[in-house]
Amino acid sequence: KRLVNWADFNLRCMQKTMAKQSVMDMVPEYIQRPLAAHLHHGLLLSIPLFRDITDMCRDDFVLDLWQMLLPQTFSPFVSIATSDPRTGQANDRMYVIVVGTAILQEQGNIVATYHPGDYFGEYALLGSDLNEDLGESSTVQASIDEASEAHAYHGKRTESQLLAISNVLAFYIDRTMFREVLATYPASVRTELIEYRNQRVEEYG
């Protein structure tokens, strides 16, 4: 029964996603981007990592990220993302919850609950190699990478898991997809992201 319920939920979510895209495809091209911006990009701008970008191309950057997001469904009590710094297991995706509820567990304890509109793992998009062109040493890069991953899990360097407790629809973007978008924008955007992350490293490092 659980499998049937999830399959039905998954089908309905995919049909709704495809229907929205079909409607968007029917709109003239010159209207599609402004419409998408009106409907969606405010959600990503609620994330401080993106909201605090001061570069004039911020809104276009955030919209391009939104258009890269992919849907994924999870049945109840299925892990959405896991991280264990002790073993090197790490999440490299940012998730935005669209439907359903998830909980963040650390060492078996519930530390946060996620509802539609909530996001998780935004700092996992930023790896140490983002600093290479700025001449950071490998030691500094490793420290930043570790602290960034820790911050993605509320600053805890312990085993963590984001767990669905209902049927969940989430949109995600992984580090590779994020880098593809970032590469099309001025270096100033990357510099701002690195500076913002380094500030977080001082807090959680």
Side-chain angles (χ1 to χ4, degrees):
K1 183 177 180 180
R2 175 181 166 186
L3 179 59
V4 171
N5 288 340
W6 173 81
D8 179 65
F9 172 77
N10 182 67
L11 179 61
R12 286 186 284 110
C13 287
M14 294 304 105
Q15 287 176 334
K16 184 177 294 187
T17 300
M18 292 174 63
K20 288 181 179 179
Q21 185 58 52
S22 296
V23 170
M24 186 67 72
D25 291 341
M26 295 171 61
V27 175
E29 288 188 10
Y30 71 92
I31 296 179
Q32 289 181 9
R33 192 169 179 85
L35 180 60
H38 175 72
L39 294 174
H40 301 305
H41 89 307
L43 179 59
L44 289 187
L45 284 179
S46 69
I47 302 175
L49 177 66
F50 306 126
R51 183 191 64 214
D52 293 347
I53 295 173
T54 61
D55 193 285
M56 63 182 299
C57 64
R58 180 200 66 176
D59 288 356
D60 284 334
F61 175 64
V62 169
L63 181 55
D64 284 341
L65 289 179
W66 178 267
Q67 293 178 327
M68 290 286 283
L69 293 177
L70 296 175
Q72 187 171 359
T73 59
F74 303 88
S75 60
F77 309 111
V78 169
S79 176
I80 298 174
T82 59
S83 177
D84 189 348
R86 297 168 299 179
T87 64
Q89 182 182 12
N91 171 54
D92 71 344
R93 293 180 174 184
M94 180 187 76
Y95 292 91
V96 179
I97 305 297
V98 179
V99 177
T101 304
I103 57 173
L104 179 64
Q105 292 182 317
E106 291 175 352
Q107 296 183 318
N109 299 314
I110 299 174
V111 297
T113 303
Y114 291 78
H115 301 286
D118 292 336
Y119 52 87
F120 175 84
E122 65 274 21
Y123 289 93
L125 299 176
L126 304 176
S128 61
D129 57 329
L130 198 64
N131 293 3
E132 287 180 350
D133 291 344
L134 297 184
E136 298 280 15
S137 70
S138 58
T139 301
V140 171
Q141 290 179 22
S143 174
I144 288 173
D145 203 28
E146 181 184 4
S148 295
E149 180 62 31
H151 184 75
Y153 289 84
H154 288 204
K156 307 292 187 179
R157 292 196 179 100
T158 58
E159 182 179 2
S160 303
Q161 176 179 225
L162 185 65
L163 184 73
I165 59 172
S166 69
N167 285 322
V168 168
L169 169 64
F171 287 142
Y172 75 88
I173 182 172
D174 65 26
R175 188 177 296 172
T176 299
M177 297 157 63
F178 174 77
R179 296 292 179 81
E180 289 177 0
V181 174
L182 184 59
T184 65
Y185 281 87
S188 56
V189 175
R190 183 185 60 179
T191 299
E192 285 200 53
L193 292 173
I194 291 172
E195 289 175 350
Y196 187 91
R197 184 190 58 187
N198 289 353
Q199 293 175 6
R200 303 287 78 76
V201 170
E202 293 179 2
E203 296 177 11
Y204 294 92

